[in-house]
Amino acid sequence: MTSKLVSDIDIQNQIYGSLLRSTVQHAYIKAIQIPPIPKNYFFFTAKDIPGQNELIVMDFPIPILADEFVQYIGEPIGIIVGPDVHIIQDIKSKITIEYEEKESLEFAEKFSASQIYFKKIIHKNSEENEQQKKSMFYETSHSLGAQDYYYAEPLGAIATIVKNNLEIYTASQWPFHVKITIANVANWDMHSIKINATDIGESIDGKIWYPSLVASYAAIASVLTKKPVKIIFTRQENFLYTNKIAPIQFRYRTALNPDNSISTMHIRILINSGAYSPCIQEILERIMISSTGFYAIPFLKIEAYAIKTNYPPFDSQIGFNEGTSFFALENHITELINQNNFDPIEWRLQNIKEHKHQNINVQEEIESGIIQELLTQALKKSDFNRKYSAYKLLSKTRRNIKDGPLKGVAVSIGYQGNGFIQRAHSKNKYVVEVTMDIQSRVTIKTEFQSKQSTLIFKEIAATILEIDKQHISFTSFDSSEITRPEAETLSTNLAILAPLLEKCCTAIQKMRFREALPITVKKEYKTTKKTSWDEQDFEGKPFINISPAICITEVEVNPINYEPLIKTIWINCSTGKPYVPQRMNASIMKQVPIAISRVLNRPLKHKKGKLVIQNSSHFNILHPKSLPKVLIDFVSNNDSARGIDTIGINVIPASITNAISMITHKQNSTIPIESKNIYEDINEQI
Amino acid sequence: MIVSLTVNNTEIHIDANPNERLVTVLRRLGFMGVKEACFSGVCGSCMILINEKPVPSCVIPIFQARNKHIITIESFSKTKEYDDIIKGFEIAGVSMCDFCNAGKIFVTHALINSDKKITLETIQDEFSGNLCRCTSYEDLLKGVKEARLIRKRRIT
């Protein structure tokens, strides 16, 4: 019927926890005045934490509770625990904190060295010759504002001690991380911690490391009070104080050779990391890798900086922000094409190289000629060339707002990198165990949470074993057996777990009529420490594989209110082995409203370090009536399966903004786009 | 304030604050299939049937639920009507992340019981109070059509 969300779970004798948060942006904590606390109520600070006061993700630590100083409004300082939530709120309102405020760190083009949270600079053949140095550079800037995640349930966790085992209930993409964090924070034996992963939903955005932090609060309170403790954020708390999608700025400078091919590209990337951004290395490297797309660039320099500011943690969006790079890159390329009056397709094809070159060579991962094949199909289906010429002419000759419809069409090229870059650096083990019992019922034992994977895996098993899907069930390994020390992504599930499942089912199918049931088959995949990705020089194979895609979007701007209406989106992508074709379409379709909302939603606004509340739900997801027609095509082959779960989010925003640029005659430098900007740009042109 | 209402065919008398929303009271009573989310009737996560009509319980003050017959997803999931919808959704590949299931299922139930023609426009209209983040409306259209077909076959 309905599965369990953490907010649906109540444990006998449970008490509740709530966080006391900082009210200032950047300050030393001078003193905390605590009122008399009623019996059975408790107030814990950093000094009460049984273990270490830190959560570590990919080598970046963040404090569980602020101790001597606070770095953003809403940073947790203490935990108030007790049986009645109203009394907890009353206690919270009576606690006073004395601060010594400091100047807050802001996100700006210029920053001090102490503000650099993480940086990476790479040069590829940066020894430019004299001619290149004299070349004219085309320069554009692009920025993306902070945005909230789409989630069903606000963050929460329950911790309880059962027979010396510390049991945690929470929804996390990364149960192993919850476990190691709790062991460190609660000073509890790792083998006596059990993670009961609750339903994560399909919109798993923003649930990589933050659930470990929330679970830590519940665990600390439970260990100290010896009672089950439930902490669920309110929607407002979740919106105001938890991690958000990071604001990013790009600056591209490109020079061309006499034959119009790219000679040099300089890219500068600034990310607002907030006070803490523990996944920053993965985010930054992914953005850098995708910032050149498929274009061949002989002389390349990329500087990327994560800037520390006094804001809540800024984090990645689905796909670790690859889509932000494609937005900036494709808009830069479009501006370059427009300034030189190049043909957008011919120029792109001239500059895309599908063999190894001196760029960040993700091209090694894809089949030869695939970009051209995808592009040709998409152009034909969308009637791009005719529309492009017509709309360009219409736009060029417009002298009045009434001179024909405000229409635009544009193409974007991008990909989805599957798996983590850091994946190759650690020893990971992926295990799938399939058992067919004497009634031919099948149990699949593996480690994943996503519903999408469940549906796909059921289809695979049902097809190979020729049984009804109803006879397939899932079980996870006991949390003491967790072998998958990385966060879950659908692309990893597809690229690694699906082939293992296929092997298990094929083996059972061969044996089931010859040998007595039950039969159990277990398959493993181990990654080694040896890596084919050189993170210093940015060379090698960063991902398990990549899924290239083309997106064409047709947009019309309403001449009355200047709101853009996305008419049609064509997506064409290469998927490798298509396990369940009917799920692939659905997977991309569900990204469409999220991708469009990224471009057209109102941006999040901060005022003195605090988010301004705009509406009651903060989920300005596109209304079903505003959804465009979406036509998706796949090019498949028998290579290993490729993820497509973020492909729409990666390529749609770039093509929408380029199509709007065609109408406004102005490069879109910022998303989200607001209709007042479209109005100004169009009227400036007329 | 004591309010009497019938939830899943059981008469209940509860003491509630007059300004409490029905969703909060139902969850307090243990009906966790009713989810608290937008509190403004736009997401469908708290959908229930009141006198056979799908209604978001987050916009109903408890006093307005007095003497009403309420069916929650917990009870509805034990019916054959529910099975029809789930089978239809499965065939069409409708994603069910469980947060707004109640909304999707109750709206589908009302839609396939009506004599409305099921088109994409109907789906967009009828599901306008359902902010599903994981299902495309094309899949939902297929799912509702399949569910109606399954129900028709079962009844005839």
Side-chain angles (χ1 to χ4, degrees), chain A residues 452-485:
Chain A
Q452 186 84 347
S453 302
T454 309
L455 293 167
I456 293 168
F457 287 10
K458 256 192 184 182
E459 290 276 356
I460 294 171
T463 310
I464 297 173
L465 296 167
E466 295 168 352
I467 57 168
D468 196 294
K469 277 186 272 180
Q470 286 177 331
H471 297 141
I472 300 169
S473 59
F474 288 86
T475 176
S476 53
F477 289 98
D478 188 272
S479 69
S480 61
E481 301 173 79
I482 288 178
T483 54
R484 186 179 178 171

mmCIF file of all heavy atoms in Angstrom, chain A residues 452-485:
data_model
loop_
_atom_site.group_PDB
_atom_site.id
_atom_site.type_symbol
_atom_site.label_atom_id
_atom_site.label_comp_id
_atom_site.label_asym_id
_atom_site.label_seq_id
_atom_site.Cartn_x
_atom_site.Cartn_y
_atom_site.Cartn_z
ATOM 1 N N GLN A 452 13.041 3.448 -8.623
ATOM 2 C CA GLN A 452 13.271 3.292 -10.051
ATOM 3 C C GLN A 452 14.096 2.028 -10.299
ATOM 4 O O GLN A 452 13.781 1.245 -11.186
ATOM 5 C CB GLN A 452 14.033 4.535 -10.546
ATOM 6 C CG GLN A 452 14.220 4.599 -12.019
ATOM 7 C CD GLN A 452 13.010 5.199 -12.714
ATOM 8 O OE1 GLN A 452 11.952 5.343 -12.129
ATOM 9 N NE2 GLN A 452 13.158 5.518 -13.972
ATOM 10 N N SER A 453 15.125 1.814 -9.481
ATOM 11 C CA SER A 453 15.955 0.621 -9.633
ATOM 12 C C SER A 453 15.126 -0.628 -9.355
ATOM 13 O O SER A 453 15.264 -1.639 -10.037
ATOM 14 C CB SER A 453 17.145 0.666 -8.668
ATOM 15 O OG SER A 453 17.904 1.801 -8.889
ATOM 16 N N THR A 454 14.249 -0.559 -8.356
ATOM 17 C CA THR A 454 13.407 -1.707 -8.026
ATOM 18 C C THR A 454 12.583 -2.122 -9.241
ATOM 19 O O THR A 454 12.515 -3.308 -9.590
ATOM 20 C CB THR A 454 12.439 -1.335 -6.868
ATOM 21 O OG1 THR A 454 13.206 -0.778 -5.826
ATOM 22 C CG2 THR A 454 11.663 -2.514 -6.375
ATOM 23 N N LEU A 455 11.976 -1.137 -9.904
ATOM 24 C CA LEU A 455 11.128 -1.440 -11.062
ATOM 25 C C LEU A 455 11.944 -2.053 -12.193
ATOM 26 O O LEU A 455 11.532 -3.027 -12.821
ATOM 27 C CB LEU A 455 10.434 -0.157 -11.546
ATOM 28 C CG LEU A 455 9.404 0.458 -10.600
ATOM 29 C CD1 LEU A 455 9.027 1.860 -11.045
ATOM 30 C CD2 LEU A 455 8.158 -0.404 -10.509
ATOM 31 N N ILE A 456 13.125 -1.476 -12.427
ATOM 32 C CA ILE A 456 13.971 -1.977 -13.515
ATOM 33 C C ILE A 456 14.464 -3.392 -13.200
ATOM 34 O O ILE A 456 14.417 -4.292 -14.042
ATOM 35 C CB ILE A 456 15.152 -1.019 -13.770
ATOM 36 C CG1 ILE A 456 14.620 0.309 -14.329
ATOM 37 C CG2 ILE A 456 16.179 -1.619 -14.721
ATOM 38 C CD1 ILE A 456 15.628 1.434 -14.363
ATOM 39 N N PHE A 457 14.905 -3.615 -11.985
ATOM 40 C CA PHE A 457 15.436 -4.925 -11.605
ATOM 41 C C PHE A 457 14.347 -6.000 -11.658
ATOM 42 O O PHE A 457 14.602 -7.146 -12.019
ATOM 43 C CB PHE A 457 16.079 -4.865 -10.217
ATOM 44 C CG PHE A 457 17.399 -4.137 -10.197
ATOM 45 C CD1 PHE A 457 17.828 -3.426 -11.303
ATOM 46 C CD2 PHE A 457 18.229 -4.164 -9.094
ATOM 47 C CE1 PHE A 457 19.040 -2.741 -11.312
ATOM 48 C CE2 PHE A 457 19.446 -3.504 -9.079
ATOM 49 C CZ PHE A 457 19.846 -2.778 -10.187
ATOM 50 N N LYS A 458 13.132 -5.609 -11.293
ATOM 51 C CA LYS A 458 12.015 -6.569 -11.376
ATOM 52 C C LYS A 458 11.786 -6.997 -12.823
ATOM 53 O O LYS A 458 11.581 -8.167 -13.120
ATOM 54 C CB LYS A 458 10.727 -5.898 -10.846
ATOM 55 C CG LYS A 458 10.345 -6.345 -9.455
ATOM 56 C CD LYS A 458 8.958 -5.882 -9.116
ATOM 57 C CE LYS A 458 8.653 -6.269 -7.677
ATOM 58 N NZ LYS A 458 7.332 -5.922 -7.246
ATOM 59 N N GLU A 459 11.836 -6.000 -13.714
ATOM 60 C CA GLU A 459 11.629 -6.285 -15.141
ATOM 61 C C GLU A 459 12.716 -7.232 -15.646
ATOM 62 O O GLU A 459 12.427 -8.185 -16.380
ATOM 63 C CB GLU A 459 11.697 -4.985 -15.955
ATOM 64 C CG GLU A 459 10.548 -4.038 -15.751
ATOM 65 C CD GLU A 459 9.332 -4.352 -16.607
ATOM 66 O OE1 GLU A 459 9.403 -5.280 -17.444
ATOM 67 O OE2 GLU A 459 8.313 -3.680 -16.396
ATOM 68 N N ILE A 460 13.966 -6.960 -15.265
ATOM 69 C CA ILE A 460 15.084 -7.787 -15.743
ATOM 70 C C ILE A 460 14.901 -9.229 -15.274
ATOM 71 O O ILE A 460 14.972 -10.176 -16.063
ATOM 72 C CB ILE A 460 16.440 -7.231 -15.228
ATOM 73 C CG1 ILE A 460 16.722 -5.856 -15.845
ATOM 74 C CG2 ILE A 460 17.583 -8.189 -15.515
ATOM 75 C CD1 ILE A 460 17.924 -5.124 -15.233
ATOM 76 N N ALA A 461 14.633 -9.387 -13.968
ATOM 77 C CA ALA A 461 14.506 -10.738 -13.405
ATOM 78 C C ALA A 461 13.299 -11.466 -13.996
ATOM 79 O O ALA A 461 13.386 -12.648 -14.354
ATOM 80 C CB ALA A 461 14.397 -10.657 -11.884
ATOM 81 N N ALA A 462 12.182 -10.742 -14.117
ATOM 82 C CA ALA A 462 10.963 -11.379 -14.633
ATOM 83 C C ALA A 462 11.165 -11.840 -16.071
ATOM 84 O O ALA A 462 10.712 -12.921 -16.465
ATOM 85 C CB ALA A 462 9.797 -10.396 -14.548
ATOM 86 N N THR A 463 11.863 -11.035 -16.857
ATOM 87 C CA THR A 463 12.074 -11.382 -18.268
ATOM 88 C C THR A 463 12.994 -12.602 -18.388
ATOM 89 O O THR A 463 12.692 -13.550 -19.114
ATOM 90 C CB THR A 463 12.688 -10.174 -19.018
ATOM 91 O OG1 THR A 463 11.893 -9.039 -18.724
ATOM 92 C CG2 THR A 463 12.725 -10.393 -20.511
ATOM 93 N N ILE A 464 14.109 -12.597 -17.675
ATOM 94 C CA ILE A 464 15.072 -13.696 -17.817
ATOM 95 C C ILE A 464 14.507 -14.991 -17.234
ATOM 96 O O ILE A 464 14.623 -16.057 -17.834
ATOM 97 C CB ILE A 464 16.416 -13.342 -17.137
ATOM 98 C CG1 ILE A 464 17.035 -12.125 -17.827
ATOM 99 C CG2 ILE A 464 17.385 -14.531 -17.169
ATOM 100 C CD1 ILE A 464 18.275 -11.571 -17.141
ATOM 101 N N LEU A 465 13.861 -14.890 -16.069
ATOM 102 C CA LEU A 465 13.393 -16.101 -15.389
ATOM 103 C C LEU A 465 11.983 -16.516 -15.833
ATOM 104 O O LEU A 465 11.468 -17.539 -15.380
ATOM 105 C CB LEU A 465 13.419 -15.894 -13.872
ATOM 106 C CG LEU A 465 14.826 -15.661 -13.286
ATOM 107 C CD1 LEU A 465 14.738 -15.156 -11.860
ATOM 108 C CD2 LEU A 465 15.654 -16.939 -13.344
ATOM 109 N N GLU A 466 11.386 -15.686 -16.682
ATOM 110 C CA GLU A 466 10.040 -15.972 -17.218
ATOM 111 C C GLU A 466 9.051 -16.224 -16.086
ATOM 112 O O GLU A 466 8.337 -17.242 -16.075
ATOM 113 C CB GLU A 466 10.100 -17.150 -18.198
ATOM 114 C CG GLU A 466 10.928 -16.822 -19.434
ATOM 115 C CD GLU A 466 11.256 -18.047 -20.274
ATOM 116 O OE1 GLU A 466 10.983 -19.171 -19.837
ATOM 117 O OE2 GLU A 466 11.793 -17.844 -21.370
ATOM 118 N N ILE A 467 9.032 -15.344 -15.138
ATOM 119 C CA ILE A 467 8.075 -15.441 -14.031
ATOM 120 C C ILE A 467 7.322 -14.119 -13.890
ATOM 121 O O ILE A 467 7.738 -13.102 -14.438
ATOM 122 C CB ILE A 467 8.757 -15.799 -12.679
ATOM 123 C CG1 ILE A 467 9.848 -14.758 -12.352
ATOM 124 C CG2 ILE A 467 9.317 -17.204 -12.681
ATOM 125 C CD1 ILE A 467 10.354 -14.852 -10.932
ATOM 126 N N ASP A 468 6.225 -14.167 -13.136
ATOM 127 C CA ASP A 468 5.443 -12.969 -12.924
ATOM 128 C C ASP A 468 6.195 -12.026 -11.966
ATOM 129 O O ASP A 468 6.824 -12.477 -11.009
ATOM 130 C CB ASP A 468 4.095 -13.375 -12.299
ATOM 131 C CG ASP A 468 3.084 -12.265 -12.411
ATOM 132 O OD1 ASP A 468 3.273 -11.212 -11.778
ATOM 133 O OD2 ASP A 468 2.109 -12.475 -13.140
ATOM 134 N N LYS A 469 6.085 -10.724 -12.244
ATOM 135 C CA LYS A 469 6.788 -9.739 -11.397
ATOM 136 C C LYS A 469 6.324 -9.802 -9.932
ATOM 137 O O LYS A 469 7.058 -9.449 -9.020
ATOM 138 C CB LYS A 469 6.560 -8.324 -11.941
ATOM 139 C CG LYS A 469 7.494 -7.972 -13.073
ATOM 140 C CD LYS A 469 7.331 -6.544 -13.486
ATOM 141 C CE LYS A 469 6.259 -6.395 -14.536
ATOM 142 N NZ LYS A 469 6.034 -5.036 -15.007
ATOM 143 N N GLN A 470 5.077 -10.254 -9.759
ATOM 144 C CA GLN A 470 4.540 -10.329 -8.390
ATOM 145 C C GLN A 470 5.308 -11.334 -7.530
ATOM 146 O O GLN A 470 5.222 -11.306 -6.304
ATOM 147 C CB GLN A 470 3.071 -10.724 -8.428
ATOM 148 C CG GLN A 470 2.187 -9.575 -8.902
ATOM 149 C CD GLN A 470 0.744 -9.960 -9.009
ATOM 150 O OE1 GLN A 470 0.436 -11.120 -9.264
ATOM 151 N NE2 GLN A 470 -0.142 -9.001 -8.838
ATOM 152 N N HIS A 471 5.998 -12.270 -8.181
ATOM 153 C CA HIS A 471 6.720 -13.301 -7.435
ATOM 154 C C HIS A 471 8.176 -12.911 -7.154
ATOM 155 O O HIS A 471 8.994 -13.753 -6.794
ATOM 156 C CB HIS A 471 6.663 -14.631 -8.194
ATOM 157 C CG HIS A 471 5.269 -15.150 -8.322
ATOM 158 N ND1 HIS A 471 4.803 -15.762 -9.459
ATOM 159 C CD2 HIS A 471 4.222 -15.089 -7.468
ATOM 160 C CE1 HIS A 471 3.525 -16.077 -9.292
ATOM 161 N NE2 HIS A 471 3.149 -15.679 -8.089
ATOM 162 N N ILE A 472 8.466 -11.630 -7.358
ATOM 163 C CA ILE A 472 9.840 -11.168 -7.103
ATOM 164 C C ILE A 472 9.828 -10.203 -5.922
ATOM 165 O O ILE A 472 9.025 -9.281 -5.879
ATOM 166 C CB ILE A 472 10.421 -10.444 -8.349
ATOM 167 C CG1 ILE A 472 10.433 -11.410 -9.542
ATOM 168 C CG2 ILE A 472 11.819 -9.906 -8.077
ATOM 169 C CD1 ILE A 472 10.723 -10.760 -10.866
ATOM 170 N N SER A 473 10.695 -10.469 -4.981
ATOM 171 C CA SER A 473 10.784 -9.541 -3.847
ATOM 172 C C SER A 473 12.245 -9.151 -3.618
ATOM 173 O O SER A 473 13.160 -9.786 -4.154
ATOM 174 C CB SER A 473 10.193 -10.167 -2.594
ATOM 175 O OG SER A 473 10.888 -11.343 -2.292
ATOM 176 N N PHE A 474 12.420 -8.119 -2.813
ATOM 177 C CA PHE A 474 13.762 -7.595 -2.565
ATOM 178 C C PHE A 474 14.095 -7.654 -1.087
ATOM 179 O O PHE A 474 13.227 -7.496 -0.239
ATOM 180 C CB PHE A 474 13.857 -6.139 -3.025
ATOM 181 C CG PHE A 474 13.855 -5.995 -4.514
ATOM 182 C CD1 PHE A 474 12.664 -5.941 -5.209
ATOM 183 C CD2 PHE A 474 15.043 -5.941 -5.224
ATOM 184 C CE1 PHE A 474 12.651 -5.826 -6.586
ATOM 185 C CE2 PHE A 474 15.044 -5.823 -6.601
ATOM 186 C CZ PHE A 474 13.843 -5.765 -7.282
ATOM 187 N N THR A 475 15.322 -7.877 -0.822
ATOM 188 C CA THR A 475 15.791 -7.792 0.561
ATOM 189 C C THR A 475 17.187 -7.174 0.523
ATOM 190 O O THR A 475 17.908 -7.316 -0.463
ATOM 191 C CB THR A 475 15.793 -9.183 1.240
ATOM 192 O OG1 THR A 475 16.340 -9.041 2.530
ATOM 193 C CG2 THR A 475 16.598 -10.205 0.487
ATOM 194 N N SER A 476 17.501 -6.448 1.571
ATOM 195 C CA SER A 476 18.840 -5.856 1.564
ATOM 196 C C SER A 476 19.734 -6.649 2.506
ATOM 197 O O SER A 476 19.245 -7.374 3.371
ATOM 198 C CB SER A 476 18.776 -4.393 1.982
ATOM 199 O OG SER A 476 18.104 -4.297 3.197
ATOM 200 N N PHE A 477 21.006 -6.487 2.318
ATOM 201 C CA PHE A 477 21.935 -7.136 3.236
ATOM 202 C C PHE A 477 21.763 -6.508 4.612
ATOM 203 O O PHE A 477 21.411 -5.336 4.721
ATOM 204 C CB PHE A 477 23.373 -6.947 2.747
ATOM 205 C CG PHE A 477 23.680 -7.737 1.512
ATOM 206 C CD1 PHE A 477 23.642 -7.149 0.264
ATOM 207 C CD2 PHE A 477 23.974 -9.085 1.605
ATOM 208 C CE1 PHE A 477 23.908 -7.881 -0.879
ATOM 209 C CE2 PHE A 477 24.244 -9.833 0.464
ATOM 210 C CZ PHE A 477 24.198 -9.230 -0.780
ATOM 211 N N ASP A 478 21.986 -7.277 5.628
ATOM 212 C CA ASP A 478 21.949 -6.723 6.970
ATOM 213 C C ASP A 478 22.960 -5.582 7.015
ATOM 214 O O ASP A 478 23.998 -5.654 6.370
ATOM 215 C CB ASP A 478 22.350 -7.821 7.977
ATOM 216 C CG ASP A 478 22.147 -7.352 9.392
ATOM 217 O OD1 ASP A 478 23.093 -6.751 9.903
ATOM 218 O OD2 ASP A 478 21.059 -7.556 9.953
ATOM 219 N N SER A 479 22.603 -4.519 7.738
ATOM 220 C CA SER A 479 23.486 -3.354 7.655
ATOM 221 C C SER A 479 24.898 -3.663 8.148
ATOM 222 O O SER A 479 25.839 -2.964 7.816
ATOM 223 C CB SER A 479 22.898 -2.159 8.391
ATOM 224 O OG SER A 479 22.915 -2.396 9.761
ATOM 225 N N SER A 480 25.057 -4.754 8.923
ATOM 226 C CA SER A 480 26.420 -5.111 9.337
ATOM 227 C C SER A 480 27.203 -5.668 8.145
ATOM 228 O O SER A 480 28.420 -5.749 8.170
ATOM 229 C CB SER A 480 26.374 -6.144 10.460
ATOM 230 O OG SER A 480 25.727 -7.304 10.003
ATOM 231 N N GLU A 481 26.480 -6.047 7.073
ATOM 232 C CA GLU A 481 27.163 -6.601 5.895
ATOM 233 C C GLU A 481 27.389 -5.548 4.805
ATOM 234 O O GLU A 481 27.832 -5.886 3.719
ATOM 235 C CB GLU A 481 26.313 -7.697 5.247
ATOM 236 C CG GLU A 481 25.957 -8.896 6.101
ATOM 237 C CD GLU A 481 24.978 -9.798 5.367
ATOM 238 O OE1 GLU A 481 25.422 -10.555 4.494
ATOM 239 O OE2 GLU A 481 23.778 -9.738 5.651
ATOM 240 N N ILE A 482 26.980 -4.285 5.055
ATOM 241 C CA ILE A 482 27.059 -3.281 3.996
ATOM 242 C C ILE A 482 28.446 -3.280 3.362
ATOM 243 O O ILE A 482 29.456 -3.193 4.039
ATOM 244 C CB ILE A 482 26.717 -1.870 4.521
ATOM 245 C CG1 ILE A 482 25.226 -1.766 4.797
ATOM 246 C CG2 ILE A 482 27.120 -0.797 3.512
ATOM 247 C CD1 ILE A 482 24.779 -0.427 5.357
ATOM 248 N N THR A 483 28.466 -3.449 2.040
ATOM 249 C CA THR A 483 29.753 -3.517 1.353
ATOM 250 C C THR A 483 29.917 -2.373 0.383
ATOM 251 O O THR A 483 30.937 -2.254 -0.256
ATOM 252 C CB THR A 483 29.837 -4.834 0.557
ATOM 253 O OG1 THR A 483 28.693 -4.904 -0.287
ATOM 254 C CG2 THR A 483 29.916 -6.024 1.472
ATOM 255 N N ARG A 484 28.863 -1.566 0.271
ATOM 256 C CA ARG A 484 28.898 -0.522 -0.748
ATOM 257 C C ARG A 484 29.176 0.822 -0.081
ATOM 258 O O ARG A 484 28.262 1.486 0.384
ATOM 259 C CB ARG A 484 27.541 -0.512 -1.448
ATOM 260 C CG ARG A 484 27.464 0.410 -2.612
ATOM 261 C CD ARG A 484 26.092 0.324 -3.243
ATOM 262 N NE ARG A 484 26.028 1.259 -4.346
ATOM 263 C CZ ARG A 484 25.040 1.316 -5.198
ATOM 264 N NH1 ARG A 484 24.023 0.500 -5.091
ATOM 265 N NH2 ARG A 484 25.031 2.187 -6.163
ATOM 266 N N PRO A 485 30.420 1.220 -0.010
ATOM 267 C CA PRO A 485 30.728 2.402 0.782
ATOM 268 C C PRO A 485 30.513 3.724 0.063
ATOM 269 O O PRO A 485 31.060 4.727 0.466
ATOM 270 C CB PRO A 485 32.197 2.196 1.145
ATOM 271 C CG PRO A 485 32.727 1.322 0.102
ATOM 272 C CD PRO A 485 31.612 0.615 -0.580
#
